[in-house]
C-alpha cells in the first residue's frame, strides 16, 4: 500500500526567506503526486501536481516541486516566502491505475512565517 | 471559478444521533469522495462514489456510514449512531473523469460528537 511521510510537522521561516517542505512517498510504481495547501477555515487547495514528464513542476503562488525517483521524494520549494503563505501543507499520492482515485496524504506541515 | 461547497461548516451532535453532511460537487464532475481528518492526524480516505454506487471504501467506512447522491447536485454522507471518535473534519471532493486526476476539495464540515 502506498504511504506518504512529511518529516517536518512544523516549520518557521522569516518572510522573504526560502522554503523547502519535504515529502517522501512509498509506492511500487510511478506515482501521481500532489501538494495541497489548507489555510485556516479553508478547504484543500491544489498547489501543483506531478504525473509524468519534466520532474520539476511549477504551481500556483510561486511554488515548485521536484520529483526525485531515486529518493522517493517530492519536495515543495519557494524562493521567497510571503506572510500569506502561512498555512498547512499536505503532500499526497494517488495510486496509478486506480480509476477511482484514492488519495493518500502525509501528516501535513504547518508553516509559520515571521515578519 | 467552480468550487465544491459543503454544509454545514460546523455540526455538533450527541453521541448516538444521526448526522448528514452535505456537499455540492462541481457540476459535470463524475467522481465523488469523502475524506476525514481527526484533529492532529492525517487526512484519511473514506469512500469514493461513481455512477451512483460506491467504488471503493476504507475500513473506517463501516456500516454506520452511507453515501448518497439524491439528485443531480448533492452528495451526502450519513453517519448513524455517532461515536465520540467520529469527531473530525470531513472533506468532500470531486473529480471530472479518469483523464483528470485532480480532486477538488470543499472547505470541510467540522463534526463534534459529545
Amino acid at each position: 500500500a502506498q504511504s506518504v511521510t512529511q518529516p517536518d510537522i512544523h516549520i518557521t521561516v522569516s518572510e522573504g526567506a526560502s522554503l523547502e517542505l519535504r515529502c517522501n512517498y512509498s509506492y511500487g510504481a510511478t506515482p501521481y503526486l500532489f501538494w495541497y495547501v489548507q489555510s485556516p477555515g479553508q478547504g484543500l487547495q491544489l498547489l501543483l501536481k506531478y504525473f509524468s514528464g519534466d520532474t520539476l513542476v511549477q504551481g500556483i503562488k510561486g511554488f515548485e516541486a521536484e520529483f526525485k525517483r531515486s529518493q522517493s521524494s517530492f519536495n515543495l520549494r519557494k524562493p521567497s516566502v510571503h506572510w500569506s503563505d502561512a498555512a498547512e501543507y499536505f503532500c499526497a499520492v494517488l495510486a496509478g491505475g486506480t480509476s477511482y482515485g484514492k488519495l493518500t496524504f502525509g501528516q501535513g506541515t504547518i508553516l509559520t512565517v515571521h515578519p | 471559478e467552480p468550487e465544491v461547497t459543503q454544509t454545514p461548516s460546523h455540526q455538533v451532535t450527541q453521541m448516538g444521533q444521526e448526522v448528514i453532511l452535505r456537499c455540492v460537487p462541481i457540476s459535470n464532475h463524475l467522481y465523488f469522495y469523502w475524506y476525514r481528518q481527526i484533529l492532529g492526524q492525517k487526512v484519511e480516505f473514506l469512500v469514493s462514489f461513481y455512477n451512483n454506487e460506491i467504488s471503493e471504501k476504507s475500513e473506517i467506512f463501516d456500516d454506520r456510514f452511507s453515501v448518497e447522491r439524491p439528485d443531480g447536485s448533492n452528495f451526502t454522507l450519513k453517519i448513524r449512531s455517532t461515536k465520540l471518535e467520529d469527531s473530525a473534519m470531513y472533506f468532500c471532493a470531486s473529480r471530472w473523469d479518469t483523464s483528470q486526476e485532480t480532486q477538488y476539495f470543499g472547505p470541510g464540515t467540522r463534526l463534534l460528537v459529545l
Side-chain angles (χ1 to χ4, degrees):
Chain A
Q2 62 269 24
S3 66
V4 178
T5 301
Q6 293 179 245
D8 305 304
I9 296 174
H10 196 168
I11 284 184
T12 300
V13 298
S14 298
E15 191 170 16
S18 63
L19 173 70
E20 182 170 29
L21 302 182
R22 296 183 290 165
C23 172
N24 293 99
Y25 68 90
S26 173
Y27 182 62
T30 300
Y32 297 158
L33 294 160
F34 304 80
W35 275 99
Y36 284 87
V37 60
Q38 183 182 25
S39 299
Q42 304 296 313
L44 296 167
Q45 181 184 23
L46 179 69
L47 281 177
L48 48 76
K49 59 191 177 186
Y50 171 79
F51 292 164
S52 64
D54 194 347
T55 57
L56 184 64
V57 293
Q58 303 296 321
I60 62 171
K61 305 184 181 186
F63 285 93
E64 66 178 26
E66 186 171 12
F67 170 63
K68 292 185 177 180
R69 184 188 302 275
S70 61
Q71 299 177 20
S72 297
S73 69
F74 188 57
N75 293 347
L76 182 71
R77 301 194 295 247
K78 187 170 185 178
S80 178
V81 170
H82 188 262
W83 64 266
S84 61
D85 294 324
E88 188 162 16
Y89 292 79
F90 295 93
C91 182
V93 63
L94 177 70
T98 302
S99 296
Y100 306 119
K102 176 179 73 175
L103 282 172
T104 299
F105 285 85
Q107 184 82 16
T109 298
I110 298 171
L111 174 66
T112 299
V113 181
H114 280 166
Chain B
E1 183 176 324
E3 59 183 19
V4 177
T5 60
Q6 291 184 242
T7 55
S9 56
H10 294 79
Q11 174 90 49
V12 181
T13 191
Q14 295 294 320
M15 187 171 57
Q17 297 298 303
E18 174 182 290
V19 295
I20 298 177
L21 309 184
R22 292 182 167 80
C23 169
V24 179
I26 295 172
S27 65
N28 83 354
H29 280 197
L30 302 176
Y31 295 81
F32 312 107
Y33 307 85
W34 284 100
Y35 293 82
R36 80 172 186 188
Q37 184 183 27
I38 295 173
L39 193 63
Q41 298 186 22
K42 295 184 178 187
V43 176
E44 303 172 285
F45 169 81
L46 289 178
V47 65
S48 59
F49 190 86
Y50 170 71
N51 200 25
N52 278 320
E53 60 183 23
I54 291 174
S55 45
E56 188 175 0
K57 60 183 181 180
S58 71
E59 60 275 8
I60 302 169
F61 196 89
D62 62 30
D63 56 9
R64 299 182 301 113
F65 290 79
S66 61
V67 290
E68 190 179 32
R69 190 159 162 79
D71 51 41
S73 59
N74 290 281
F75 179 51
T76 62
L77 173 68
K78 181 188 292 185
I79 310 174
R80 295 181 294 274
S81 303
T82 50
K83 301 178 180 180
L84 297 177
E85 53 263 39
D86 295 329
S87 296
M89 177 75 88
Y90 288 81
F91 293 105
C92 173
S94 69
R95 179 165 68 107
W96 180 29
D97 66 12
T98 53
S99 67
Q100 289 289 333
E101 301 293 351
T102 301
Q103 294 178 28
Y104 295 87
F105 283 78
T109 293
R110 172 74 66 189
L111 175 65
L112 178 60
V113 182
L114 301 176

